Amino acid sequence: MKMTGNMILNRFRRRWQFMLWVEILLYSLGPAILVYFLFFKLLWSILVSIVLVGFMFIFIKPWRPNLKKVSGYIDQHLDTAEYSTGLLLLPEEQLSGLAKLQQYKVAKELVEKLGTISPPSNLLRGSVIMGLFAILGFLMYQFKIINYLQEAKEPKIPANTIVFTATDSISKRGKQPKLEHQELIIDYPSYTQIPSFRTTKMDVKAVEGSKLTWRIKFNTHIKDVTIESMGSSQSMNYGNEIYTQTSTLNASGFYNFRYTDVQNTSYTSDLYAIEMIKDRGPGVEIIGLKQFTSFEFDENKKLSFKTSVNDDFGIADVYIIATVSKGSGESVKFREEKLSFDTKVIRGSKNLKLLKSIDLDKMKMEPGDELYFYIEALDRKQPMSNTSRSETFFAVIKDTLSDQFAVEGTMGVDLMPDYFRSQRQLIIDTEKLIREKSKLTKKEFNFKSNELGFDQKVLRLKYAEFMGDESESELVNQENPEISNEDEHGDEDHDEEDPLEQYTHKHDSDNEHNLVDHKEGDSEEKNDPLHEYLHNHEDPEESTLFTQSLKSKLRQALNEMWDAELYLRLYTPEKSLPYQYRALKLIQEIKNSARVYVHRIGFDPPPIKEDKRLTGKIEGVSNFRKKEELQEPEIYPSIRQTILRLEELIVGKEKINDGDRTLLEKAGNELAIKALENPGKYLRTLQKIKRTTENKKIPLSTLVEIQGGLFDALPELKYNAVKRKVLTGEINELLLKELEVHD
């Protein structure tokens, strides 16, 4: 179908009018979206949109573009039209031949190039305005600015003024009593030296033990005024037209006021926070002193150090508790002294730098004595001070008289002190020496290996005392082989001396330890018919309290210790380890066999019937099976249930009932317990919950705020470790098998 000039212009006109209508819709949608974000009322948004559409319809006038205006716009914006678009509006009968030719030419140009120009409109401006309104509405919803708008509608109330609301908004009531005066007086404890503080702000933040006094006054007579705090209620005293109440601060929490007028109408206030600040103990720090200090006998035995002490409300006293220990073992004695500092302690100071020099000689300490001391500081808190103490520091005077020196194998060795290394400790030290072999020189390695051999010898001799075949004289002989050889062998000739003789254990020799020929004794024992029945205490083999089996095990352990010592003396600790392990195993068996086991009492089994015994009948006997499912108790159950119920109320736009108020009250109690740690964080949510439980008409925005506050109070969920099922293909299984084969 061939388009005529009139059709072309009408098409462009309709396009122009459509864009004007779109512009009107953009202008009206922006404010409608803003209203919805503010009030969540779809009907209100539709009404605002309709009103704005009507207003913009009159202002923009989308009917205004006609064919004459369209042709003029095309002539101004399309050069190829040659200002001849008006010819398209005239009938052909009125045009000359040249005009008809120009009309045809213009119509052809419009068909080809009319799409290059667009009707005049402000769609971009309308889109920007709509976007700005939408973003503004979202931000106002996100930051809850609607709350401030609602508060602005309410009458202006001075800051910190107690606001009372009726608990029953439906009942008929007269004029509400007006609060004329409110005051909170905080009297801090005397030791803090902080003056009394008066304020009209009802939130409390004070030191533990402070005295709180509330004073409020109404413009008319009130029947009763109470203060409610954490489930308790206290009536305020009335005098001189002022209601007063005094309390001592001993815990954090929340409270509110409640009063009943002469018409029995109850009014309640918002919740206010009580935050108690605990008086912390003094801080004590010792500067310039090591925790352990040792002195030689001829040194200047003085301990000098500096102590830093600080407290928030002043220090009462600082002193040193020193304990001196004398002696060792069961004869140890302790003497405790209380020392003062060289610097004077100024009572009431918040920061002190104290100096002290302790002379161990003046404390009558001798070699081997030890000193333990710490700093103790007290603050000025009443009635009982806070006490802090520093770490314990040690000082000791070395006891040189107890040190001994022995010569063993032409090498100097320090004897062990009063305690002995256990076999387990010897094994640990031997393994450590083997690991550090590459880091040590040959001389150091041999020296340490020989020391371990000497420790093994001392331990062996200690255990041998229980067998009765090792004595102090023999120990001397083994430590001084030259003397022992001369005494025992006399003038025997030793042409060849075995260099390993003093280290080896000759199991095949006759009684190597005692070096006494027992042939004569053996013959006497054989001739004595009562020998097998007598207990000869003169014989060291018979003089122990061990049974024959324990003595044999102990003998085996001593033999293993002999061999372990041999290889340690030969500087081959790796060969000594197996013998040490076997010795440790035998020692453990001896210890276990010497234990006494006590029969458990408290249970008497029922008697067995003789006719049922050994019959093998098990009728009536059932297996005992206990099945128990452990489940962790749910945290904050009421808060979680309340969040779900609030979601139903918000989505369904339902009214709360008595059951919902009870659930909200339980959630408030759980939230109050959590809020004791930080009263200011959840105060607003608790105030909203209290209003909701006491009023019957609650706006939807309040429920949304309560739900958000309860969400913030819930702890973060902890992810449980679970086993995930991984799908493996045939190729993966073949790869795993190949890896196992070549592993």
Side-chain angles (χ1 to χ4, degrees), residues 562-668:
W562 268 101
D563 295 331
E565 178 189 349
L566 168 65
Y567 288 107
L568 287 173
R569 300 284 193 175
L570 294 175
Y571 316 130
T572 54
E574 60 277 358
K575 294 182 179 180
S576 173
L577 271 179
Y579 298 99
Q580 294 187 38
Y581 274 112
R582 285 196 289 270
L584 176 63
K585 182 179 179 182
L586 290 170
I587 292 172
Q588 293 296 333
E589 290 178 358
I590 294 171
K591 290 181 180 180
N592 292 333
S593 62
R595 290 179 180 175
V596 178
Y597 295 92
V598 182
H599 179 68
R600 292 183 61 185
I601 60 175
F603 171 72
D604 294 328
I608 301 175
K609 296 180 180 180
E610 294 297 334
D611 56 343
K612 301 292 185 182
R613 188 181 181 194
L614 303 178
T615 58
K617 297 180 180 179
I618 58 173
E619 289 82 0
V621 179
S622 59
N623 293 331
F624 175 76
R625 178 177 296 177
K626 182 179 180 182
K627 184 177 181 182
E628 185 177 1
E629 295 183 1
L630 300 178
Q631 186 175 4
E632 187 177 357
E634 187 178 4
I635 304 176
Y636 306 122
S638 298
I639 292 179
R640 299 180 188 275
Q641 294 178 13
T642 304
I643 291 174
L644 297 176
R645 179 56 184 163
L646 288 176
E647 184 68 21
E648 296 176 357
L649 294 175
I650 294 170
V651 174
K653 298 179 181 180
E654 304 176 9
K655 295 182 179 180
I656 63 174
N657 51 35
D658 294 338
D660 299 334
R661 291 188 178 88
T662 303
L663 187 59
L664 279 169
E665 186 175 355
K666 293 180 180 179

Side-chain angles (χ1 to χ4, degrees), residues 491-516:
D491 298 331
E492 285 187 12
D493 187 14
H494 296 278
D495 296 336
E496 294 183 3
E497 184 178 358
D498 187 1
L500 299 180
E501 182 178 358
Q502 56 182 330
Y503 305 113
T504 56
H505 185 193
K506 300 178 181 179
H507 298 278
D508 298 333
S509 61
D510 295 332
N511 199 359
E512 173 194 354
H513 304 295
N514 296 321
L515 299 177
V516 177

Side-chain angles (χ1 to χ4, degrees), residues 1 24 118 175 219 234 334 495 504:
M1 178 180 178
I24 291 172
S118 59
K175 188 176 180 180
N219 63 343
Q234 294 180 349
F334 297 95
D495 296 336
T504 56

Side-chain angles (χ1 to χ4, degrees), residues 259-276:
Y259 73 86
T260 305
D261 60 10
V262 294
Q263 298 178 353
N264 292 328
T265 303
S266 180
Y267 296 85
T268 183
S269 69
D270 289 335
L271 283 176
Y272 298 100
I274 299 178
E275 185 174 354
M276 184 191 69

Side-chain angles (χ1 to χ4, degrees), residues 247-302:
S247 177
T248 301
L249 180 59
N250 51 22
S252 299
F254 302 91
Y255 77 99
N256 67 282
F257 297 95
R258 181 186 293 271
Y259 73 86
T260 305
D261 60 10
V262 294
Q263 298 178 353
N264 292 328
T265 303
S266 180
Y267 296 85
T268 183
S269 69
D270 289 335
L271 283 176
Y272 298 100
I274 299 178
E275 185 174 354
M276 184 191 69
I277 302 174
K278 283 200 171 185
D279 184 2
R280 62 181 181 85
V284 183
E285 182 182 4
I286 297 180
I287 304 171
L289 182 65
K290 296 181 180 179
Q291 194 152 7
F292 180 80
T293 308
S294 61
F295 297 96
E296 298 291 343
F297 178 72
D298 55 350
E299 282 188 65
N300 184 16
K301 298 178 281 298
K302 286 187 178 181

Side-chain angles (χ1 to χ4, degrees), residues 22 31 248 271 306 468 480 514 537 559 577 672 717:
V22 172
T248 301
L271 283 176
K306 182 169 65 174
N480 300 278
N514 296 321
H537 293 274
N559 294 339
L577 271 179
L717 293 177

Side-chain angles (χ1 to χ4, degrees), residues 278-284 309-312 314 377-379 381 385-389:
K278 283 200 171 185
D279 184 2
R280 62 181 181 85
V284 183
V309 187
N310 60 80
D311 187 72
D312 45 4
L378 286 75
D379 65 4
K381 182 183 176 184
S385 301
N386 288 323
T387 305
S388 299
R389 54 169 291 179

